[in-house]
Amino acid sequence: MKKHTPGPWVNTGLDHQYPKEINIQSGNLYIARTIGGLGLIEETANANLIAAAPELLEALRNLMSACYKADLHEELSEIVDGCLLDAAETAIAKANGEEV
């Protein structure tokens, strides 16, 4: 598994030097930068989503881990469409850089 830059990632907003860019940073490191073309509202929403990625991944890992530890996987499969559990596992694998 390839390691990503640890969070928290923060949407720092518009770059004053390059006003069409929105930066996502971890400390002083740039994680991502939106380049423009979609409109400020959509670009900001995308930047917020990217900035939340480490926390979303950790929450999903913790949720799946808790389900398995509590032996809820079978119970959840009966309550929740099994496709949702598969989708969660696929999302985690994708975030880990695994082929899906």
Side-chain angles (χ1 to χ4, degrees), residues 2-60:
K2 297 175 184 168
K3 301 261 183 194
H4 63 76
T5 304
W9 295 0
V10 178
N11 174 359
T12 59
L14 287 175
D15 186 315
H16 297 293
Q17 187 175 4
Y18 305 100
K20 292 187 177 187
E21 295 181 358
I22 298 175
N23 295 313
I24 299 91
Q25 292 180 239
S26 177
N28 291 327
L29 297 173
Y30 286 99
I31 303 302
R33 182 175 283 161
T34 65
I35 303 299
L38 296 175
L40 184 59
I41 293 172
E42 191 172 352
E43 297 242 357
T44 300
N46 289 341
N48 289 336
L49 180 60
I50 294 166
E55 295 162 273
L56 291 168
L57 177 58
E58 186 64 23
L60 190 55

Side-chain angles (χ1 to χ4, degrees), residues 33-100:
R33 182 175 283 161
T34 65
I35 303 299
L38 296 175
L40 184 59
I41 293 172
E42 191 172 352
E43 297 242 357
T44 300
N46 289 341
N48 289 336
L49 180 60
I50 294 166
E55 295 162 273
L56 291 168
L57 177 58
E58 186 64 23
L60 190 55
R61 282 181 178 152
N62 290 339
L63 179 63
M64 294 301 290
S65 178
C67 289
Y68 286 120
K69 283 181 184 174
D71 202 21
L72 294 176
H73 189 265
E74 292 299 321
E75 292 176 39
L76 282 175
S77 292
E78 293 174 13
I79 299 169
V80 179
D81 184 347
C83 293
L84 294 176
L85 297 174
D86 291 342
E89 290 172 351
T90 299
I92 292 169
K94 186 175 178 180
N96 289 334
E98 299 170 15
E99 280 193 41
V100 290

